[in-house]
Amino acid sequence: MKFRTKFVAVALGVLSAILLNASSSQAATTWDAVKKKIEGCKDYSLTYGYVGPKGKFNFEYVFVASPMKIRTKILRGSDRNVGTVTVYDKDKDANTVAYRVGSSQLKRSLDHKDVTGTAFYQGVYTLVLSNVKGATPKVSAGETMKGKATTLFEFNVGAGGTYKIWATDDGDIVQTQKIEGAKVTEERKFSEIKWNSNPSTSW
């Protein structure tokens, strides 16, 4: 009788493990799901930290898809320009980004060194997607970030470069890394992500 009880307990344990693994596998996101969420959204807001060629920055960020509007605020912990707010309104002026520091306001063209290649005039997640240029990723389980499991997508971007993207099971990108050789040359970490919440893009 004891043997039978032990056998049943072991069998139930194995079954539970199988079901748990199956559930985890089903919950993990796919790259297509991540892209679909970004490309199909109306808007999103988030905060993110950036470390890379342009320096170290923390941003409060809002993106609205149509008509395209982007609001960015540079937060404490950044190398410079803390408190600066930028607004890009594509319909109003597609060629410049407006800046406000205190009561002063100015504009910079999209080819200005502080603007070109940034998320000031394009969705930050769109910018992330442009880094992988439609490549097919290697997929594996990522580490847990802020209590959430992630999936790691690794892209070969040529010349020995790798671009890594971590996304939660609900398709939110929470971290990216650009790696050249063995060195991380650019990193972004995203948090407080909200989708389709009609955020404000005003000053």
Side-chain angles (χ1 to χ4, degrees):
M1 191 70 176
K2 289 183 178 179
F3 174 81
R4 183 178 177 184
T5 302
K6 185 176 181 180
F7 176 81
V8 170
V10 171
L12 287 173
V14 170
L15 180 60
S16 296
I18 290 171
L19 290 174
L20 180 60
N21 288 338
S23 175
S24 297
S25 175
Q26 290 170 357
T29 193
T30 65
W31 182 238
D32 282 344
V34 172
K35 290 192 297 181
K36 184 177 180 180
K37 190 168 189 176
I38 294 168
E39 295 167 349
C41 76
K42 293 187 298 183
D43 58 62
Y44 55 82
S45 63
L46 48 80
T47 59
Y48 77 96
Y50 167 90
V51 179
K54 294 184 181 297
K56 177 183 177 182
F57 292 93
N58 295 317
F59 297 108
E60 178 183 272
Y61 190 83
V62 171
F63 169 83
V64 175
S66 182
M68 186 191 288
K69 293 182 181 179
I70 297 169
R71 181 187 186 275
T72 310
K73 183 176 182 179
I74 301 176
L75 305 176
R76 290 180 181 177
S78 301
D79 284 345
R80 58 188 182 278
N81 302 331
V82 173
T84 299
V85 175
T86 74
V87 172
Y88 178 66
D89 186 332
K90 189 174 182 179
D91 276 3
K92 189 174 180 180
D93 186 350
N95 300 310
T96 64
V97 173
Y99 281 68
R100 178 173 287 180
V101 185
S103 58
S104 301
Q105 186 170 318
L106 56 90
K107 292 185 177 182
R108 287 181 177 167
S109 64
L110 302 191
D111 59 3
H112 188 280
K113 64 180 180 65
D114 289 340
V115 178
T116 187
T118 71
F120 291 137
Y121 62 95
Q122 58 187 316
V124 66
Y125 281 147
T126 304
L127 183 59
V128 167
L129 294 185
S130 73
N131 278 283
V132 300
K133 299 175 183 176
T136 300
K138 173 185 173 184
V139 184
S140 61
E143 55 263 51
T144 299
M145 297 184 180
K146 295 187 177 180
K148 290 189 175 183
T150 67
T151 299
L152 171 60
F153 302 96
E154 295 182 71
F155 299 84
N156 183 339
V157 292
T162 304
Y163 200 85
K164 293 184 177 182
I165 297 174
W166 287 262
T168 60
D169 289 352
D170 51 4
D172 290 350
I173 293 176
V174 290
Q175 185 171 333
T176 68
Q177 287 182 344
K178 183 178 181 180
I179 301 170
E180 297 177 89
K183 183 180 180 182
V184 177
T185 57
E186 187 175 66
E187 181 175 66
R188 291 180 175 89
K189 292 183 178 180
F190 302 92
S191 59
E192 301 178 56
I193 305 164
K194 295 179 182 178
W195 297 88
N196 304 323
S197 60
N198 194 31
S200 173
T201 55
S202 64
W203 294 107

